[in-house]
Amino acid sequence: MSDSSGTPTPSPAPPVPSGPPPKVTNRGRTAVPIASANSDTTEVPEFEPFGAPGPRGFPPLTEFLDIVDVDMMRMPNEINKTQHHTTFYNSDSLIVRRGQEFQVKITFNRPYKPASDKFAVEFVIGSTPQYSKGTYIPVFPTQERQSSWAGRITNTSENTVTMGITPTPDCIVGKYYMYVAVVTPFGIRRTRKDDSRNLYILFNPWASADAVFLDDETERQECVMNEMGIIYHGAYDDIAERDWNYGQFNYGVLDACLYIMDKAAMPITNRGDPIKVTRKASAMLNSHDDEGVLVGNWTGDYTYGVAPTSWTGSTEILLSYATSKMPVCYAQCWVYAAVFNTFLRCLGIPSRVVTNYYSAHDNDGNLKTDIILHDNGRIDRNRTKDSIWNYHCWNECYMSRPDLPAGFGGWQVVDATPQETSDGMYRCGPASVQAIKHGQMCYPFDAAFVFAEVNSDVVFYSRSKEGTMEPVKVNQTHVGRMVLTKAPGDVTRRDITDQYKFPEGSKEERTVLEKAEEFGCQREKSNPPDADVDLVLPTLEVTVGNDFELSLEFINRSDQRRVVDIYISGSVVYYTGVTSTEFLFSDPTVTIGPNKSVKEVVVVESKNYMKHLVEQANLNFIATGKVKETGQIVTAMKVVTLHNPKLSVELSGGARVSEEMMATVEFTNPFTFGLEGVYIRMEGPGLMMPKSKYYSLIPAGSTLT
């Protein structure tokens, strides 16, 4: 275009489309959408003609076999649920485990004649069922004609046929719809779709051909069937316990677990593979990049949700997510691990929650946690960035690993707490525990990250005024001090540290660390000489609100007198090792005679720390100092977990089935001040759904019942 003078004029810009962007569909890219929701269904026709009807339509099909009734034998006390270990699921539907036969009773309108009558039982899952994809499976009663799932007639009486059906041990896990189809000369007639014939198929740790097979009945009873658990927290020398109601058999929990995979748009065809299911779930249990189940919050401000320490079980969290379709607020590591445990046990994957004491969160992928000191020996808080969690909880699940070399199956670490991304999403695992123990960090998924959580070295650097850094002390035994889980069939704990690492200082341990370096993990090579003065901090058990004494013992192992300038810092920390506030600082100078020991006592007053406390009430003491004569550095670290006042629960009334009993909860406020905004939460698997009560004030010294 140009105007009359011949100069070109610009064309008007095309209009900018308003409104939401167009929805991208599968059209032109795949023939049908990829089936990725278990809740989607397909209309299966009740009559499927073989050809076009004659001028008068089809003749009445009265003389052919017709289905009168289908009994799924789905009651808790019937053979299917008892043999498949699914009696406890609070569900009206039939729930069975793959790779194991279950029975269905079909009643026809007349006795079944094997020679002339043809029928099949059909199972359908997802939106576009196909035989080749394992989402449409017909099962036949005769030996001559069989499909991937075996079928046989186990009993015939009058018009009723009992059929045994065995799903393959690697079939898709989820909710199937069942139809019975009869072949007539004119077409196939089917039962109408009916929810009472829905069927859930789960993983089967009892079947040797299933990838999750666990050949130990006590472990199976604990890691699949137990609804109650104990999660360990606190500090490694002062272990605390948290009871948790996993509630994997509660009403609605199984559907919520299937909804989580639907929400992730996980292709139906991948849902028979425990490796894919656990990896997907590890991403979906946190809300970070996919609107998953739980929102993490470590700030201490839980105004818009439930404080992580208030939860007592998984049921409420999963049901709330499935009904509101929105992430639930709030969680920290043990809540992620506990809800993940419910998910895994509910689907039949053996799993347990484990706690690692002094867990390194290594944000730059080396095997070092760096603590930086000024050249006088005092800690430089501004430059110390790495954190060591007092404890961190993750899950182990049991499965074979056909994708790895032989020997790396068994327990696998999965972790839903959002710490670092893996393939672009916040998730971690499954990582073979065996691979972690042997330093084989190249094997998927995320073995290197977990290896660092249990094997980092704590390196103290001295930073000069010019900014150069020199390693002055390396502590190789602090991180991964102890790994615990609940003992199977008992309420005690079990130390499984030896499954993650060889004994500290052993020949094997050195070999493993060298192996890890081959895969690119940098370690601190320098080995600064140990100081000839040892510093020991005591193990303390202190209740919240009490004053206490911290006694530091200095031991001089040399034949000369030693003078140490020491810096003692006490700070309130989150359980993630991140400092909230420093409440104590003292810098005494200590003189120790040759081969003698001296105690330096620091008094810690509650009025100094109480107003700064954050949740879980952890105090972290770090003492660092410099020996005047030699310039060597001495350090010691200790986390003191303050004990909260206890609740007591008393039961009264005879504990008899179907009779009411009373639970009395008692709590006394031991402090000299009132407690405001107190929530009490209670639940019991199979006994009561979660209940909570709110008290605006509990005055000092008063008791609540």
Side-chain angles (χ1 to χ4, degrees), residues 609-621:
Y609 69 74
M610 280 302 281
K611 55 180 177 290
H612 300 299
L613 280 187
V614 293
E615 208 180 17
Q616 298 190 49
N618 291 306
L619 307 180
N620 188 18
F621 293 97

Side-chain angles (χ1 to χ4, degrees), residues 439-494:
Q440 300 282 359
M441 286 150 56
C442 53
Y443 293 133
F445 295 87
D446 309 308
F449 182 77
V450 184
F451 184 84
E453 288 184 302
V454 291
N455 282 308
S456 285
D457 292 341
V458 181
V459 184
F460 291 87
Y461 291 94
S462 179
R463 184 177 183 277
S464 69
K465 301 259 192 310
E466 298 80 56
T468 54
M469 303 237 281
E470 183 199 352
V472 287
K473 181 171 176 184
V474 179
N475 183 340
Q476 292 171 336
T477 58
H478 183 71
V479 166
R481 190 66 69 88
M482 182 162 68
V483 184
L484 290 183
T485 187
K486 178 182 173 300
D490 202 353
V491 289
T492 53
R493 51 181 181 253
R494 172 172 166 197

Side-chain angles (χ1 to χ4, degrees), residues 53-69:
R56 294 191 181 142
F58 292 107
L61 302 173
T62 43
E63 75 252 44
F64 306 112
L65 193 65
D66 198 2
I67 309 115
V68 176
D69 182 48

Side-chain angles (χ1 to χ4, degrees), residues 596-637:
K596 289 274 192 299
S597 73
V598 168
K599 283 199 169 158
E600 176 72 29
V601 174
V602 179
V603 176
V604 180
E605 294 186 342
S606 63
K607 63 169 193 265
N608 294 338
Y609 69 74
M610 280 302 281
K611 55 180 177 290
H612 300 299
L613 280 187
V614 293
E615 208 180 17
Q616 298 190 49
N618 291 306
L619 307 180
N620 188 18
F621 293 97
I622 298 186
T624 57
K626 204 168 189 176
V627 181
K628 273 201 174 135
E629 290 79 1
T630 60
Q632 290 168 327
I633 295 285
V634 292
T635 66
M637 296 186 281

Side-chain angles (χ1 to χ4, degrees), residues 232-242 355 357 390-391 575 616 618 639 641:
Y232 297 99
H233 63 117
Y236 90 99
D237 49 6
D238 184 13
I239 293 159
E241 298 181 349
R242 212 179 241 114
T355 303
Y357 285 94
N390 299 345
Y391 65 89
Y575 85 96
Q616 298 190 49
N618 291 306
V639 171
T641 303

Side-chain angles (χ1 to χ4, degrees), residues 538-551:
T539 295
L540 295 170
E541 291 197 11
V542 184
T543 304
V544 173
N546 287 4
D547 298 351
F548 61 96
E549 288 184 348
L550 185 71
S551 116

Side-chain angles (χ1 to χ4, degrees), residues 259 263 291-293 318-328:
Y259 168 71
K263 176 86 173 179
E291 292 287 297
V293 181
L318 287 165
L319 297 186
S320 159
Y321 182 68
T323 48
S324 73
K325 318 239 183 292
M326 292 289 289
V328 178

Side-chain angles (χ1 to χ4, degrees), residues 96-102 148-150 165-169 171 201:
V96 295
R97 297 184 189 274
R98 60 191 197 173
Q100 183 179 336
E101 188 176 69
F102 64 92
S148 57
W149 293 17
I165 299 164
T166 311
T168 53
C171 75
I201 297 186

